[in-house]
Amino acid sequence: MSSELFVSKELVRSLNAKAWLLSLAAVGLVALLSGVLALASLLIQPRSGEIRLIAMLRANISEEEINELHRRLLAEPEVLRSRYVLAPASIRSSGHFEISVKAEANLDGVMARLRSWGAFQEISSPASDSIIEELRAALLAPKLRWLVLAALAALLGSTLLVIYAALAKARQGFVGELELLVLSGASPRTMQFPFVLLGALYGLAGALLVELILYGAQIWMDAALISPEALAHLGIRGFLLGLILAGLGGGLGRLVAQRYPSPLSRSRMSSSSAGVGEH
């Protein structure tokens, strides 16, 4: 184990209850900020030129028939994409297909042709992801636009502040060890690396928390309210934003490790004071 990783392990072991509480708060805020920014980026993007259909399968359909239906759907000229979604174990259903159809297609004709196959018990056409559309309307409303931007800025500032506070609390409980590292001749990189790593871990943990929440939403949320595609886009964007926040957390960790007075300065001050006392 390298000296940097060993010191990082000792830093984590030195965290007290308050430091752990601040760390959990930092991870939670990173997850919240990543999710909110991912949702905002999804809401402001232009609408796609396609229509989504939900095709519920009839009961007791075989796996071979499902595979054949998937091939037939992809062979349809008006169909852009097709995705089979297995129903949760708690629901007695054969699942459904989520079908994306070209916006210019004759929707009634497409639905009538699919019904004629005899494999679907119901085919519906939700106009859009209702939750997404309601949030888009609220976000783009002129009266709320500046309020939303102010709220996002406040959330970003609060997240970075809590990350800094958590790192500063970790450093406060690790001062003695840092002073020993200085006296033993450890390099600045060895003393800075644990705080950079800890700050980055806050961002990574927050990104993974977003993915876990969205995975649960994809399993339990009704597809008529928000499509799995929208949830997948949120997951990708949330994870990437979490990685960016991990970089910012690492930068804050480096800043905390260099904050005056450094262990070296205090050690020199202590030695000078001791020398003066002896005279």
Side-chain angles (χ1 to χ4, degrees):
M1 180 183 295
S2 67
S3 57
E4 288 85 359
L5 291 178
F6 177 78
V7 176
S8 300
K9 179 181 176 182
E10 293 301 311
L11 173 62
V12 173
R13 291 178 59 183
S14 70
L15 297 179
N16 55 29
K18 188 173 181 179
W20 277 112
L21 184 61
L22 285 170
S23 298
L24 292 176
V27 171
L29 282 173
V30 167
L32 178 61
L33 179 61
S34 300
V36 170
L37 290 178
L39 180 59
S41 67
L42 182 65
L43 295 178
I44 63 177
Q45 75 176 16
R47 294 180 177 87
S48 60
E50 61 185 50
I51 302 173
R52 189 166 62 92
L53 296 177
I54 303 295
M56 304 298 298
L57 293 169
R58 60 177 171 79
N60 302 321
I61 191 168
S62 67
E63 184 176 349
E64 290 77 11
E65 290 176 295
I66 292 174
N67 293 332
E68 178 61 25
L69 281 172
H70 183 61
R71 286 191 290 269
R72 291 183 67 183
L73 286 169
L74 293 178
E76 289 289 316
E78 296 91 348
V79 173
L80 296 172
R81 291 183 301 279
S82 174
R83 177 174 179 267
Y84 173 67
V85 179
L86 183 66
S90 58
I91 301 177
R92 294 183 178 180
S93 173
S94 299
H96 65 272
F97 275 98
E98 294 174 355
I99 308 167
S100 295
V101 180
K102 296 178 181 178
E104 64 273 14
N106 181 352
L107 189 59
D108 292 336
V110 172
M111 295 175 68
R113 188 160 61 254
L114 295 182
R115 290 191 182 99
S116 68
W117 294 358
F120 304 111
Q121 61 179 347
E122 180 184 355
I123 300 177
S124 59
S125 174
S128 58
D129 294 319
S130 58
I131 293 179
I132 294 292
E133 291 303 318
E134 290 175 6
L135 291 174
R136 177 182 281 117
L139 178 64
L140 299 179
K143 294 182 179 179
L144 295 178
R145 189 174 303 167
W146 292 108
L147 181 61
V148 170
L149 290 175
L152 289 175
L155 181 57
L156 174 60
S158 300
T159 301
L160 296 178
L161 183 62
V162 172
I163 291 176
Y164 184 87
L167 292 168
K169 189 64 180 177
R171 183 188 186 279
Q172 181 182 349
F174 202 62
V175 167
E177 288 82 351
L178 290 175
E179 291 182 343
L180 290 176
L181 287 171
V182 171
L183 295 175
S184 64
S187 66
R189 182 178 182 275
T190 299
M191 293 182 289
Q192 293 170 7
F193 179 83
F195 297 96
V196 174
L197 179 61
L198 185 59
L201 286 177
Y202 291 154
L204 291 176
L208 292 176
L209 181 57
V210 169
E211 296 303 306
L212 183 62
I213 293 173
L214 290 175
Y215 177 76
Q218 190 169 5
I219 294 176
W220 298 108
M221 188 169 287
D222 189 350
L225 295 176
I226 181 169
S227 65
E229 288 84 359
L231 288 173
H233 285 304
L234 282 175
I236 294 172
R237 297 174 190 217
F239 186 77
L240 292 176
L241 286 165
L243 293 181
I244 293 174
L245 289 171
L248 291 176
L252 289 175
R254 183 180 179 86
L255 179 63
V256 166
Q258 293 178 331
R259 185 174 61 85
Y260 180 86
S262 67
L264 179 58
S265 300
R266 281 212 299 268
S267 297
R268 287 176 175 172
M269 290 168 60
S270 300
S271 299
S272 300
S273 300
V276 171
E278 291 175 0
H279 290 294

